[in-house]
Amino acid sequence: MQEILVLYYSHRGSVGALAEQIALGIHQVPGAAARVRTVPRVSTVCEAVEDDIPASGPPYVEAADLRECVGLALGSPTRFGNMAAPMKYFLDGLAGDWVNGTLAGKPACVFTSTASQHGGQETTLMSMMLPLLHHGMLLMGIPYTEPALNATRSGGTPYGASHVSGADGSPLLTADEIALAQAQGRRLAETALRLAVRP
C-alpha cells in the first residue's frame, strides 16, 4: 500500500472537510491510502503554546510523513490571498528536506477555502504551489474533463479543490465541491502510484 500525505491547516473546519474528501478520493484508488496530518497553530509569543498532540483530529505532521509519502495534498485557508501562517511557518522549516530532495519528483496538489467567492482562492492555491516547486514536486490541478468544474457555482478551480464557506464560515461542502475534492484525490493517487519507485 502506497501512502499519500494529506497535510492541512484548518481554523474553522472547511479545509478539514475538503481534506476528508480528498482522502476519500485517494482511498478509492486500489493500492493507495491517505495519511492525514495537520500542523499546529502559531503564536506571536516566542514559546511553544500548542500541546505536542492535538486535542482532536489528525496528528501533527512529522519528518517521516514527508519521507514516506509518494504524493502530497496540501491545504490551507486563505489569509488575504495567501496561505495561513501555520502552513507557511511549517513550509519555511523544511530547508533540510529541500537540501536532501525529500519531496523531489513526487506529485502534489493544493486546496483551500475562503469566506467569499472572490476571496483569493486562486492566489492562495498558487502561493502554496511556489514552495512545492522549489522542492521539485510535480504539481497537478483539476482538468476541465471533470464535469463539476464547469458546473460549480461555489468552490472548485483548475488550480485545486476549494470551498466557499460564506460569512458564517460553514464547513458544509456542496455536491460539486465534494466531487472535485474526491476527483483531485483520485487523480493524485493514480499519478503517485504510476510514479512511485518500486523495489
Side-chain angles (χ1 to χ4, degrees):
M1 190 69 69
Q2 299 280 0
E3 289 192 314
I4 286 82
L5 179 60
V6 180
L7 176 60
Y8 72 94
Y9 171 72
S10 188
H11 181 64
R12 297 176 73 181
S14 294
V15 177
L18 282 171
E20 290 173 11
Q21 294 303 319
I22 289 171
L24 186 58
I26 291 168
H27 285 291
Q28 292 169 2
V29 177
R35 183 186 295 194
V36 181
R37 296 291 185 266
T38 190
V39 296
R41 297 180 76 171
V42 294
S43 170
T44 56
V45 177
C46 293
E47 61 184 64
V49 294
E50 291 289 318
D51 294 331
D52 290 337
I53 299 172
S56 62
Y60 293 134
V61 65
E62 297 178 354
D65 297 319
L66 298 173
R67 285 193 313 270
E68 295 167 4
C69 73
V70 296
L72 171 66
L74 188 71
S76 171
T78 294
R79 294 294 182 265
F80 303 105
N82 205 333
M83 72 182 94
M87 185 56 72
K88 180 72 165 67
Y89 182 80
F90 170 77
L91 292 171
D92 284 349
L94 297 182
D97 292 287
W98 170 69
V99 168
N100 293 326
T102 302
L103 298 172
K106 296 179 182 181
C109 65
V110 291
F111 57 102
T112 192
S113 177
T114 56
S116 65
Q117 185 73 40
H118 303 289
Q121 288 189 356
E122 293 179 349
T123 56
T124 299
L125 294 169
M126 294 185 81
S127 78
M128 288 189 289
M129 290 179 185
L130 297 177
L132 302 183
L133 285 167
H134 278 262
H135 279 275
M137 299 197 83
L138 308 172
L139 297 181
M140 303 178 60
I142 301 174
Y144 276 93
T145 52
E146 289 297 332
L149 198 55
N150 284 305
T152 184
R153 296 292 179 262
S154 51
T157 81
Y159 305 102
S162 63
H163 169 64
V164 179
S165 66
D168 62 349
S170 172
L172 297 176
L173 305 180
T174 67
D176 287 335
E177 291 170 343
I178 290 171
L180 291 168
Q182 288 185 15
Q184 185 167 355
R186 284 192 304 272
R187 188 163 192 256
L188 177 62
E190 289 165 357
T191 302
L193 291 180
R194 287 191 194 106
L195 293 173
V197 177
R198 306 212 187 268

